[in-house]
Amino acid sequence: MRESITKLLGPKGRFAKLCEGYEHREEQVRMAEAVADALLHKEHLLVEAGTGVGKTVAYLTPAILHAAGGRPVIVSTHTINLQSQLVAKDIPLMQKVMDEYPFKAVLMKGRGNFICLQELDHAQASLPFEDAAFEKLKKWVKETQTGDVAELDFSFPEWSEVCCNVHTCKGKECPYNAVLDASHGAGLQIPPQHNMPSCFYYKRRREASSADIVVVNHALFLADLSLRMVNPREGVLPDYGSVIFDEAHHLE
């Protein structure tokens, strides 16, 4: 893996050729090699590096190389800003530069970030009058591909009433989740004309289960870990080989 890192991050590597203004940094290469060794030997590693080293690229490069061998890697952050940077900027850059190592990355969030279609039905049934904000929300649900509250371009104060939650979620018994199961060959027969939307939360979980890199926050990672300590098969996140904590000083 060290040879691959040199080809990617070295003075004449792929990053230097494809990224305008790229500056070779020896500290970045040393960090990437240290992360690669830790992943390979299943060891713990603590890294402290100053601003400008390029820490994200330094850990993503060996993580992607490692995951390419069928060993998914979790990348856990503290802030939404860093998650957004990873998903919108850093990971697309890695996919461009590391095209010889194609990989899939998914951002996984907790239930409360996703609209629940069944809760939406219940809310609509209980509304005694037309509500402009609710009508706007229903229109958004028909257009969104993710059901993620981060995509909302308007305020909806009652989000907690319509989002997914562990207390009311019926899992596989939910009709919206059954639609998704049918599309994944679970044996359920859905008529061809059926245009029922499918559960956004479980859709994202299925996408994460086939990803090489799964981006989460510390809270979700530790919630998943606590579930696994009770029952190893009850985790929210897919099975993974390694985890990288960015912003690890917030982990405690």
Side-chain angles (χ1 to χ4, degrees):
M1 194 184 295
R2 279 175 172 261
E3 184 179 344
S4 298
I5 289 173
T6 301
K7 288 180 180 179
L8 288 163
L9 299 178
K12 298 180 180 180
R14 291 276 293 169
F15 276 87
K17 292 178 182 177
L18 297 178
C19 302
E20 186 176 349
Y22 177 78
E23 179 184 344
H24 170 67
R25 285 158 284 188
E26 186 59 35
E27 297 94 336
Q28 185 183 56
V29 175
R30 280 162 44 202
M31 175 178 167
E33 290 175 343
V35 173
D37 288 343
L39 291 171
L40 179 63
H41 300 296
K42 298 182 179 181
E43 296 174 343
H44 297 302
L45 173 69
L46 180 64
V47 177
E48 185 175 12
T51 303
V53 169
K55 297 183 287 291
T56 305
V57 170
Y59 69 67
L60 280 177
T61 302
I64 292 164
L65 292 170
H66 185 77
R71 295 155 293 195
V73 176
I74 299 286
V75 175
S76 181
T77 76
H78 173 63
T79 62
I80 293 176
N81 287 342
L82 181 53
Q83 278 191 345
S84 299
Q85 176 189 317
L86 281 166
V87 173
K89 180 182 176 183
D90 297 332
I91 288 175
L93 171 65
M94 304 301 289
Q95 289 172 325
K96 172 186 173 184
V97 175
M98 298 181 67
D99 55 354
E100 291 184 16
Y101 308 92
F103 68 94
K104 177 182 177 182
V106 171
L107 171 61
M108 188 64 208
K109 297 182 177 182
R111 292 174 186 266
N113 291 278
F114 298 93
I115 188 86
C116 174
L117 298 170
Q118 195 163 48
E119 293 291 349
L120 193 69
D121 290 344
H122 293 159
Q124 182 169 354
S126 63
L127 274 178
F129 52 84
E130 288 189 12
D131 181 275
F134 190 74
E135 292 301 315
K136 202 171 182 180
L137 182 71
K138 288 197 299 180
K139 183 176 183 293
W140 172 76
V141 168
K142 292 179 181 179
E143 298 170 348
T144 180
Q145 296 295 312
T146 67
D148 188 339
V149 66
E151 285 189 3
L152 273 183
D153 57 357
F154 59 92
S155 175
F156 190 77
E158 289 80 28
W159 177 261
S160 61
E161 300 296 322
V162 295
C163 68
C164 294
N165 70 85
V166 69
H167 302 295
T168 61
C169 180
K170 295 183 178 180
K172 291 185 177 181
E173 295 179 5
C174 176
Y176 291 107
N177 194 17
V179 173
L180 192 60
D181 279 337
S183 68
H184 282 74
L188 297 174
Q189 297 300 315
I190 303 296
Q193 71 274 15
H194 194 97
N195 59 357
M196 193 178 196
S198 56
C199 175
F200 293 109
Y201 171 66
Y202 277 98
K203 179 182 178 183
R204 183 67 65 88
R205 283 187 60 170
R206 286 171 173 82
E207 290 173 350
S209 68
S210 62
D212 303 292
I213 304 292
V214 181
V215 180
V216 304
N217 64 18
H218 297 342
L220 181 59
F221 178 84
L222 293 172
D224 174 82
L225 191 62
S226 66
L227 287 173
R228 290 171 184 265
M229 290 173 70
V230 177
N231 186 340
R233 293 178 295 179
E234 289 295 321
V236 175
L237 301 178
D239 291 337
Y240 51 89
S242 306
V243 57
I244 295 173
F245 294 108
D246 201 336
E247 301 177 310
H249 54 291
H250 292 289
L251 189 58
E252 184 182 0

